[in-house]
Amino acid sequence: MAMIALASGLRVYLACGVTDMCKGMTGLAMLVQQYLAEDPFGGAVFAFRGRRAGLIKLLWHDGVGLCMLIKRLEQGQFVWPSATTTGRIALTSVQLAALLDGCEWRAPARPRRPELAG
């Protein structure tokens, strides 16, 4: 279960490909501006993954300051797209929650509705 509450209208962008995970908040904010052509202070969440695939960093501005969350999976790898023409893809808050849980975010499983009451 993800440790942060995610608003349904939250804008989330994955930086496709591999990112240097030695970068801190300032370095990632510069990547958002220069390579993703987005505003790092606009309230959107930007996700980055390194070469080893078991660690991600999320960057966002909460209206007061720049925030960074780092998550490392104990087992497995984060599913990540390769590079695109824009360098990023948009996710929904549900897809981000699945990603943070280490699950397949491209087609999150929906809870099955019972067909019969009895």
Side-chain angles (χ1 to χ4, degrees):
M1 178 176 270
M3 64 181 107
I4 57 176
L6 303 171
S8 61
L10 182 67
R11 292 177 299 124
V12 179
Y13 299 103
L14 245 70
C16 298
V18 175
T19 300
D20 176 5
M21 296 309 274
C22 292
K23 292 187 182 302
M25 287 190 285
T26 303
L28 293 175
M30 290 176 65
L31 285 178
V32 169
Q33 279 182 308
Q34 295 172 354
Y35 297 106
L36 303 182
E38 292 287 340
D39 178 9
F41 309 110
V45 174
F46 299 93
F48 302 90
R49 190 196 82 175
R51 189 168 311 283
R52 293 191 188 161
L55 180 79
I56 62 171
K57 291 184 178 182
L58 302 181
L59 181 76
W60 74 99
H61 193 275
D62 65 358
V64 178
L66 205 53
C67 306
M68 185 168 64
L69 172 104
I70 301 171
K71 182 158 187 181
R72 184 189 72 200
L73 292 177
E74 296 300 322
Q75 295 179 349
Q77 296 181 334
F78 290 104
V79 176
W80 216 257
S82 56
T84 64
T85 56
T86 61
R88 61 172 161 58
I89 61 168
L91 268 64
T92 65
S93 58
V94 172
Q95 288 173 314
L96 178 59
L99 175 68
L100 289 174
D101 285 342
C103 298
E104 173 57 62
W105 56 268
R106 291 174 290 196
R110 301 190 195 292
R112 293 192 57 171
R113 183 175 177 260
E115 295 180 21
L116 300 172

